[in-house]
Amino acid sequence: MGISGIISAIVIGAIIGALGRLLVRGKQNISIVVTIIIGIVAALIGTWLAQQVGVAVTDGIDWIEILLQVVLAAIFVIIYASWAGKRR
């Protein structure tokens, strides 16, 4: 993976993570770095799941794949926020 792939992963991760945080109600005490990491992980897992189901083989924008990634990011935000809240 080149530098452009790393930058793309960070940008897409930030977008997916931010959209995931928007879906979760209430205030989350999560830094932007954690949001990006959650977004990157959700994007990777969401893409893998979409490929397993056969959704990622369409022409154009894969809306179902993006929706799956955002929902996974929201789930990961909930899990991390509850875990981080218990640590404090």
Side-chain angles (χ1 to χ4, degrees):
M1 176 184 289
I3 190 72
S4 63
I6 293 171
I7 292 172
S8 297
I10 292 171
V11 170
I12 297 299
I15 293 169
I16 296 294
L19 289 173
R21 281 185 71 173
L22 285 174
L23 287 180
V24 178
R25 296 183 122 198
K27 185 174 189 272
Q28 304 91 29
N29 291 325
I30 300 175
S31 69
I32 188 69
V33 174
V34 173
T35 301
I36 292 172
I37 291 170
I38 286 173
I40 291 170
V41 171
L44 291 173
I45 294 173
T47 299
W48 179 78
L49 284 175
Q51 288 173 349
Q52 297 303 312
V53 177
V55 174
V57 290
T58 61
D59 293 334
I61 299 174
D62 296 321
W63 293 108
I64 296 172
E65 180 181 353
I66 293 171
L67 179 66
L68 183 61
Q69 292 170 341
V70 172
V71 168
L72 282 172
I75 292 169
F76 293 156
V77 164
I78 292 170
I79 291 170
Y80 183 80
S82 66
W83 176 75
K86 290 179 183 176
R87 277 189 343 175
R88 294 180 182 189

